Amino acid sequence: MTNDDRRAPHFRSRWITGPASGSTGPLVAALTDYRAQRLLDLPGLARRARSLSRLWPGLTGAVGMWLWADVPSRRVGSLSVWRSEEDLRAFVRVPEHVRIMRDYRHRGTLDSRTWQVDTLDRAALWRVMTE
């Protein structure tokens, strides 16, 4: 994602807590930013992402997450917090996540990054979206 692309998304879900929501730091934050080639792909992708988020309350190590979208830029993604890198890697291997990534791999570009946070500060995390 270039600096020109970084702006607050037009839509953000409510904060979805996970089973590890009481975890204290250090924690792992993960930002995914997917830019679809075609605007027509966004509804299906958003529907699949929302379906995947329903698994969130049962994912080991999941602290919390937002789904977000910037429709004019054809961008969708998530900002999630995990207890550990291992928990994040386990999520990436969840069959539904693997299917979404496989189905949309060639329909756009994905930018992702992870970093460590000492505490869960949701306001500070969300500011990452515009840095």
Side-chain angles (χ1 to χ4, degrees), residues 2 28 36 38 43 45 50 53 83 89 105 114 121 124 128:
T2 67
V28 174
R38 299 176 334 136
L45 184 56
R50 184 69 183 138
S53 76
R83 189 178 50 202
R89 283 195 295 273
R105 175 179 331 180
T114 61
D121 179 343
V128 168

Side-chain angles (χ1 to χ4, degrees), residues 54-110:
R54 290 187 188 107
L55 300 176
W56 193 258
L59 294 174
T60 300
V63 174
M65 59 115 39
W66 288 291
L67 295 174
W68 61 267
D70 182 0
V71 175
S73 296
R74 300 183 321 275
R75 293 172 47 226
V76 295
S78 65
L79 181 53
S80 59
V81 179
W82 299 87
R83 189 178 50 202
S84 69
E85 283 275 342
E86 293 77 27
D87 294 325
L88 172 58
R89 283 195 295 273
F91 164 71
V92 169
R93 293 188 304 267
V94 166
E96 179 59 19
H97 183 262
V98 171
R99 281 191 292 276
I100 291 170
M101 297 305 293
R102 183 192 61 226
D103 293 348
Y104 286 90
R105 175 179 331 180
H106 301 294
R107 297 183 191 189
T109 57
L110 177 68

